[in-house]
Amino acid sequence: MAPQREWFEKDYYKILGVAETAVPKEITKAYRKLARELHPDKNPNNAAAEERFKEVASAYDVLGDEAKRTEYDEVRKLGPGGGMFGGGGAPGGFGGGGPGPGGFTFTTDGLGDLLGGLFGQRGRRGPGAGGVRGAGPQRGEDLVATLSLDFGDAVHGITTALHLTSDAACTTCSGSGAAPGTSPRVCGVCHGRGVTDDNQGMFSLSSPCGACGGRGVVIEHPCPTCRGTGIERRPREVKVRIPAGVDDGTTIRLKGRGGPGKNGGPAGDLLVECKVMAHRLFGRDGHNLTLRLPVTFAEAALGAEVDVPTLEGGRVKLRLKAGTQPGSKHRVKGKGVLTERHTGDLIVTVDVTVPAHLNDEEKAAVEALSRAATESPRAHLEV
């Protein structure tokens, strides 16, 4: 990976709104929040939001990768004003350490070891190295989508389809940009490299090829659908396998299902954020399911065997001891969230119900119980 001029000009930490000391989890959280807010589907016909979305994606592409982030930090330190060779040089010149005039990248065989350590390679950049903006393959953007899941589907797992509208490889030309029956030809100026060199003594100045725009190929007969870009915006269906036990807020990364790459670069990823709907009866606590079970006073006081519903639709028996207290918790083994690595339980919380209306027989029984009671439950509150 080689740094681009953009690395010297843009503060990716500021774009994502995080500190330079932010840990990976903080960077990912900030990116996801901004991506949701700025996604083109939520901001139709908003050019400013779309441009900001691309900026955020570019920032995360670097800061979200440990190796790229390390290189970015080093380049920022040695960028304009950083003094690549101790400072004192003119802005954009050799002493300043930044990119050359007009966005050119300086390379020299005599400084191969130094530049190789900084930029991850030695000598003159080859095709697709990324040393010049616009040249070589470029990875597609990561896309973010939200998938609403039924509580039971999230617990048990499901394979479903996600429908979204996004940039994708053109279906007419399969992403080549050339009209059907034709093919792009290798650029005769840069010979497929995407860059041209201007030798200046010990230096070689590289810039995007003007004949092909840095693509390395020339499209003589553009595709009528995408007009030569190889990309079209269209609805598409993406199959998603949701593993058993996903929780609300879980993000699933689908490799290569994001935005299309450019100049033969790989596609980005699709980040699927799971939104799990609440269940009428059950809740979640990690791999355990939770349930509040109403019982009568008699069942709690005398003990009883009661039916407990399960998420699968069946019922299991739970034995309550005499004197079971309201709010007490009881564990039903193996009836929680089941995954390849974990087997959760069902945690039942007892709720003792008080009848709103009593008939004469019930009222007489309760009054008899009250007269027979030997101790007030409020005795311990006396000072």
Side-chain angles (χ1 to χ4, degrees), residues 3-4 8 46 95 105 121 131 149 168 173 193 204-206 217 237 276 281 296 311 314 357 371 376:
Q4 302 179 7
F8 296 96
N46 188 332
T105 300
Q121 63 182 65
L149 290 170
C173 65
R193 295 179 61 238
S204 176
L205 307 181
S206 297
V217 295
E237 180 180 284
V276 180
L281 297 179
T296 67
L311 188 59
H357 303 283
R371 289 192 297 271
S376 169

Side-chain angles (χ1 to χ4, degrees), residues 176-199:
S176 71
T182 68
S183 300
R185 65 172 177 83
V186 176
C187 177
V189 177
C190 66
H191 305 291
R193 295 179 61 238
V195 295
T196 55
D197 297 331
D198 181 15
N199 294 320

Side-chain angles (χ1 to χ4, degrees), residues 296-355:
T296 67
F297 172 77
E299 288 172 328
L302 302 176
E305 191 173 72
V306 295
D307 288 334
V308 177
T310 65
L311 188 59
E312 289 77 11
R315 289 179 175 271
V316 294
K317 295 291 186 180
L318 176 64
R319 182 65 187 176
L320 298 179
K321 296 180 179 179
T324 295
Q325 297 298 305
S328 60
K329 297 182 185 297
H330 306 264
R331 185 181 300 269
V332 180
K333 288 284 188 179
K335 292 299 180 179
V337 180
L338 306 181
T339 68
E340 293 180 355
R341 296 184 178 182
H342 301 91
T343 299
D345 302 326
L346 175 60
I347 308 300
V348 179
T349 301
V350 170
D351 283 337
V352 177
T353 61
V354 178

Side-chain angles (χ1 to χ4, degrees), residues 164-235:
L164 64 157
T165 300
S166 66
D167 287 344
C170 176
T171 53
T172 302
C173 65
S174 300
S176 71
T182 68
S183 300
R185 65 172 177 83
V186 176
C187 177
V189 177
C190 66
H191 305 291
R193 295 179 61 238
V195 295
T196 55
D197 297 331
D198 181 15
N199 294 320
Q200 300 288 330
M202 67 179 293
F203 291 104
S204 176
L205 307 181
S206 297
S207 61
C209 175
C212 64
R215 299 183 66 175
V217 295
V218 175
I219 300 175
E220 297 177 319
H221 304 286
C223 170
T225 301
C226 66
R227 300 180 180 180
T229 64
I231 297 172
E232 64 173 336
R233 190 167 185 83
R234 57 181 171 85

